[in-house]
Amino acid sequence: MYRDYGPKGVKFFFIYKTLAHPELAGNYVQPFTLEERLAQARQAEKQLGATIPWLVDDMDNRLKHALGDRPNSELIIDPEGRIVRKRAWSFPAEVRKDLEKLVGPVERITNESDVVLKLQPPVKTPAARGVVPRVPRPAMQAIVMEPQIDPKGPPFYAKLRAEADAGLLMTGKGKLYLGFHLDPFHQAHWNNLTPPLRFKLEVPEEVKLDKMSGEAPKVQETSDADPREFLLAVESWPEDKPIRLTVTYSACVEDKSCHAVQQSYVLRRQRDRDGGGARGEGAGYWDAEGLARQIGTAGAEGKLSKDKVMGLVRPHFEKLDTNKDGFLDAEELKALAEWLNHHHQPGTPAPGPKQ
Amino acid sequence: MRWMPRFVFALLATALPAVALAQQPRKSEEDFAKEKPAVGDPLPDLTVYSPDGKEVKTSSLRGHYTVLTFGCLT
């Protein structure tokens, strides 16, 4: 389409945004700095091999937020700068139809078989993976975590991925996943000759967890690139009480220099709408159907009865069941999804009848 | 080909197979169409970057029909 409509004056851009599915397709992780995101965009250019230019969203994800927060949306802008078409999911065949109407048909349509793309493989990890068993974390969503970046400090060779299950997000009680993933763009591996990665939490007294610190398992191999992962049970985490996390680890880079690193984060009990869905789960955007799958087993007509929702949601069932018919139906799930997607800020009450 | 970004398949396809069409979240399209900015609204004027780090104003995209597609490495 680029070949067909480029000569007719149509401009095409890919917008490089936050990762939709971190850890997939190359073990990529969310970047912390603009430089890191730019490096990802340059890699995307190479990996895709296409000649369509990329533009890169800023680290506040302003363009993604301004245009609807979808992972793969598509818009056509007219010469006056107005939106003339928008689609939540890219659909090239429809874009072609749109351009035929807006600009006119082309004499000869370029087919997929006419295009030879010089695809390149993803960035390689510099050490073995599959050494340390992964921690299973079904049905969790990224939460807001703010790396405390010291411009003079070392890069975040390992980057925290923090996730909460639906119970923790909604009620403050549930599972908290903390995963420290090496960023392949820094080409670092763990130095297993030194003490393993350790983390420590500083929490306000209202926050109750099963552990306040953790140490990764000792690994026999001298190096590897597997994530260091922890699953914590949270008894109580009020929405307005951030948690401070400090991690120490030793990472070595390709030139064999090893670095002992201490880095900090602030974690919030708040869904990160830019976090993406790790390992192929939904791209961090809930809809009623997806939510039904995440919090229970839907029966006929996609409704959830109280005995079919996960235990952590059960105590809140009556509040969520606004029409009191004993089921969470599509409307009620939609209200919950809306709240999780757009209104989940500290202090915002969950859906339900007004008190 | 396992590592190929998912959306690339969509970009390359001239016609999606029926199964992919069935998976298209139609509801999501309806919701998206209702959201602001709507068709007819101006593209918000924001700063983005070229991959080599140069600032680009989205207002500079005027003067042509422009197709914007969001994507990433995963």
Side-chain angles (χ1 to χ4, degrees), chain A residues 114-338:
Chain A
D114 301 329
V115 181
V116 180
L117 296 173
K118 289 180 186 164
L119 303 170
Q120 290 191 20
V123 175
K124 276 188 185 161
T125 48
R129 288 182 68 95
V131 176
V132 180
R134 298 296 303 267
V135 169
R137 54 187 221 268
M140 301 187 90
Q141 290 280 329
I143 58 167
V144 171
M145 56 94 209
E146 295 152 4
Q148 306 297 294
I149 296 170
D150 172 3
K152 291 179 187 159
F156 281 70
Y157 300 111
K159 292 185 164 65
L160 174 64
R161 169 92 184 166
E163 294 182 0
D165 65 9
L168 179 55
L169 268 177
M170 287 189 282
T171 71
K173 180 177 177 174
K175 296 281 185 213
L176 172 65
Y177 166 85
L178 301 174
F180 299 91
H181 297 252
L182 289 168
D183 183 341
F185 282 89
H186 290 298
Q187 288 291 295
H189 56 77
W190 303 113
N191 176 4
N192 296 334
L193 301 173
T194 58
L197 173 144
R198 292 178 63 86
F199 76 87
K200 223 168 74 177
L201 302 177
E202 288 169 60
V203 303
E205 59 179 325
E206 296 90 338
V207 178
K208 311 278 182 230
L209 299 110
D210 65 341
K211 53 184 123 162
M212 300 295 290
S213 62
E215 183 172 298
K218 286 195 168 58
V219 179
Q220 290 304 311
E221 284 79 350
T222 54
S223 70
D224 73 284
D226 283 321
R228 301 300 191 247
E229 300 174 296
F230 305 87
L231 201 57
L232 280 62
V234 182
E235 188 58 35
S236 157
W237 184 4
E239 280 186 307
D240 58 348
K241 304 287 179 192
I243 293 176
R244 190 176 175 88
L245 180 151
T246 303
V247 61
T248 54
Y249 59 89
S250 177
C252 304
V253 288
E254 253 183 331
D255 63 3
K256 307 291 180 205
S257 64
C258 294
H259 307 270
V261 178
Q262 177 168 309
Q263 288 163 332
S264 296
Y265 299 83
V266 171
L267 309 183
R268 299 185 190 279
R269 198 194 112 196
Q270 187 185 331
R271 180 183 162 272
D272 181 2
R273 59 175 162 162
D274 301 314
R279 297 191 282 179
E281 294 115 10
Y285 189 87
W286 263 312
D287 57 20
E289 295 84 358
L291 193 63
R293 283 195 299 275
Q294 289 230 357
I295 66 171
T297 310
E301 298 167 21
K303 292 182 178 180
L304 287 164
S305 60
K306 189 170 181 178
D307 61 328
K308 298 289 185 192
V309 298
M310 58 192 285
L312 287 163
V313 178
R314 226 165 279 155
H316 306 275
F317 190 90
E318 277 72 27
K319 189 179 175 194
L320 298 169
D321 178 20
T322 48
N323 66 3
K324 304 295 169 205
D325 68 347
F327 293 95
L328 298 185
D329 59 26
E331 279 304 307
E332 288 153 350
L333 288 164
K334 191 178 172 190
L336 181 57
E338 284 276 307

Side-chain angles (χ1 to χ4, degrees), chain A residues 11 13-15 17 21 24 42 48 54 56 66 70 72-77 79 81 83 86 88-89 92-93 120, chain B residues 3 8 10-11 14 21 25 29 32 35 37 40-41 43 48-49 51 63-74:
Chain A
K11 304 283 183 192
F13 294 96
F14 294 138
I15 307 289
K17 46 164 264 302
H21 301 289
L24 267 187
R42 292 192 293 269
L48 180 54
W54 288 80
V56 185
R70 301 304 203 278
N72 186 206
S73 56
E74 193 159 62
L75 295 98
I76 303 180
I77 316 300
I83 297 166
K86 56 182 283 198
W89 292 90
Q120 290 191 20
Chain B
W3 41 264
V8 174
L11 292 168
T14 49
L21 275 175
E29 289 294 348
F32 190 59
E35 291 172 14
D41 289 343
L43 180 71
V48 290
Y49 298 88
H64 310 268
Y65 279 102
T66 305
V67 180
L68 300 177
T69 305
F70 279 86
C72 63
L73 273 172
T74 59

